[in-house]
Amino acid sequence: MSTGYTLCEKIQNLTPYDPLEGEYQLRLDANESYLEPDAALRQEFGNIAAATAFNRYPDPYAVELCQAFGAFYNLPESLITAGNGSDELISIICGTLLQKGDRVLTFAPDFSMYRFYAELYELESVVMEKEADLTLSVDKAIQFINSQNIAAVIFSNPCNPTSLGLSREDVRKLVSSVKALVVLDEAYMDFWDQSFLPEIGQHDNLIILKTCSKAMGMAAVRLGFAVAKPTLTIALRAAKSPYNVNSISQAVGACLLSKKELLTDCCRQLVEATAQLYKETVSLAERYSILEKVYPTCTNFVFIKTPAARSIYQKLLKRSIAVRCFGGYLRISAPAPADLPMLMTALEEILREEQHDANS
Ligand SMILES: *Cc1c(COP(=O)(O)O)cnc(C)c1O
């Protein structure tokens, strides 16, 4: 007999995160790295998987992994918490460092998961729109946080999706001018040189998030890190589920993070590929005014303002090229140099049509 169970209100209208499904020749929609481990590294990962103690729970604090991460970024292990992707860490922060009703500030546009978790945990989500040029005014943000009783502010720097970055000086000003918890998501900072990690020790109200999913090219293993002073780190470690990072990911991540030269070289290639994509997109925008603006990028993707975003997105999909569409904007992850001509040729053909339609 049915008991007439009903879902509680907050979950009733929740829709799952909906990444694009299906097979596409070019996946440029998730800001993944196009680089894959070579045969030797795959072999190393294979050996790691084979040597795993499958009957045992993982190390709850992922000590070796955190040490490898710490060595990579020159940080003590005592400031680091590992997560099953930084996504899990955002969830833990919203669910445990904040209480029901706390006001959480996000900026728009920014990464959508911040609001998703804030709302899931019944925090009060407060959104501040960015400037018309999509930059963030730090002074306005500070003023807002301090006058609106904001408990926490979460943002990405450099920003996904705008590809714009906030200087270290601006971040320092923000973090040191507010009492609120500042969650600084540096998922893309490996592509830029304004990381705030070196100053983590000077701020009690700061958590910096990092991920292996972008510059490190390891989205599959789901590894993220929270870096914060001991009071926050101890709280995060206490609040997370005990075995949140599986043994294989821990060991593979530690192995990868010990390869500084390889990772630096991968990152350099991605930065170059992005510069090439940016250059060719700007050149398209010069020829096709329907591309209104290409934002400068300090990430591994470009962000484009165009009233034809939706149509261009759909036409690219028909050609088996997946990008992201946000309202009147397109976000395109840097493709491998060998794939760039396919993208640019498709874009140019589509733009010729769009421009023609717009003019007629
Ligand atoms: C991709 C991305 C992440 C990474 O999330 P993981 O769960 O570590 O894969 C975090 N923040 C932003 C802004 C991102 O774009």
Side-chain angles (χ1 to χ4, degrees):
M1 203 183 86
S2 169
T3 56
Y5 177 79
T6 53
L7 290 166
C8 74
E9 216 174 293
K10 71 174 180 186
I11 200 112
Q12 279 175 9
N13 297 315
L14 199 67
T15 48
Y17 186 72
D18 186 22
L20 195 62
E21 279 174 85
E23 289 286 317
Y24 299 92
Q25 227 176 313
L26 263 185
R27 290 293 304 245
L28 308 174
D29 58 314
N31 297 341
E32 294 148 328
S33 167
Y34 62 78
L35 293 163
E36 292 193 76
D38 65 11
L41 190 54
R42 273 178 188 281
Q43 187 61 53
E44 262 189 83
F45 292 165
N47 295 343
I48 286 170
T52 300
F54 283 100
N55 58 325
R56 302 294 177 194
Y57 281 108
D59 171 2
Y61 298 116
V63 174
E64 261 179 56
L65 172 64
C66 290
Q67 279 168 347
F69 177 87
F72 190 85
Y73 287 106
N74 199 20
L75 298 161
E77 185 262 334
S78 57
L79 306 186
I80 302 162
T81 308
N84 190 5
S86 48
D87 229 74
E88 186 201 22
L89 295 163
I90 299 166
S91 169
I92 294 170
I93 291 165
C94 288
T96 67
L97 295 181
L98 297 159
Q99 322 193 63
K100 183 173 172 172
D102 276 356
R103 289 164 69 84
V104 175
L105 177 66
T106 54
F107 303 108
D110 204 343
F111 190 45
S112 63
M113 296 315 287
Y114 311 143
R115 269 166 80 183
F116 171 85
Y117 285 117
E119 287 167 15
L120 192 61
Y121 290 111
E122 301 181 75
L123 309 175
E124 188 185 336
S125 164
V126 182
V127 181
M128 187 179 135
E129 294 293 324
K130 291 185 178 172
E131 304 299 298
D133 62 0
L134 301 186
T135 57
L136 177 67
S137 160
V138 166
D139 291 322
K140 279 191 200 166
I142 293 168
Q143 157 76 17
F144 193 94
I145 292 163
N146 289 335
S147 65
Q148 300 289 315
N149 192 27
I150 298 297
V153 51
I154 312 184
F155 65 100
S156 58
N157 187 42
C159 172
N160 172 16
T162 67
S163 73
L164 303 174
L166 211 53
S167 72
R168 185 184 289 133
E169 194 183 331
D170 275 345
V171 171
R172 186 183 302 124
K173 187 170 179 192
L174 185 127
V175 176
S176 44
S177 308
V178 302
K179 273 200 193 132
L181 175 67
V182 178
V183 183
L184 172 61
D185 184 349
E186 291 196 349
Y188 297 92
M189 192 54 92
D190 301 289
F191 302 116
W192 201 32
D193 62 1
Q194 295 293 301
S195 178
F196 205 58
L197 276 176
E199 300 186 29
I200 190 71
Q202 286 144 54
H203 303 277
D204 293 324
N205 60 331
L206 176 65
I207 300 175
I208 299 180
L209 297 177
K210 297 287 295 178
T211 179
C212 290
S213 300
K214 305 287 157 60
M216 311 245 180
M218 295 290 276
V221 300
R222 311 298 302 123
L223 281 177
F225 298 89
V227 184
K229 288 187 71 174
T231 306
L232 283 167
T233 295
I234 289 165
L236 285 174
R237 288 180 179 178
K240 73 180 187 66
S241 71
Y243 306 115
N244 59 328
V245 181
N246 74 72
S247 301
I248 297 178
S249 290
Q250 287 192 26
V252 165
C255 167
L256 181 78
L257 284 161
S258 71
K259 300 183 187 304
K260 194 152 190 168
E261 243 172 73
L262 171 78
L263 290 174
T264 311
D265 186 58
C266 287
C267 197
R268 187 188 53 72
Q269 290 184 54
L270 293 169
V271 168
E272 246 167 59
T274 312
Q276 200 57 38
L277 169 65
Y278 176 77
K279 191 174 131 206
E280 298 208 10
T281 313
V282 167
S283 149
L284 271 186
E286 281 162 4
R287 280 173 288 139
Y288 298 94
S289 58
I290 199 156
L291 293 190
E292 275 175 26
K293 181 166 181 175
V294 185
Y295 292 83
T297 174
C298 40
T299 60
N300 67 331
F301 56 88
V302 298
F303 198 55
I304 305 163
K305 182 176 185 183
T306 168
R310 192 84 217 156
S311 171
I312 295 170
Y313 165 77
Q314 275 158 348
K315 287 178 177 173
L316 282 172
L317 268 191
K318 282 207 191 106
R319 289 162 210 242
S320 203
I321 301 174
V323 302
R324 271 299 292 270
C325 176
F326 301 85
Y329 300 92
L330 291 169
R331 189 193 71 192
I332 307 178
S333 315
D339 292 329
L340 186 61
M342 174 183 169
L343 171 69
M344 294 328 274
T345 306
L347 264 178
E348 177 134 26
E349 283 171 16
I350 294 167
L351 285 170
R352 214 174 288 140
E353 282 175 33
E354 294 293 327
Q355 192 82 41
H356 183 265
D357 292 352
N359 292 344
S360 60

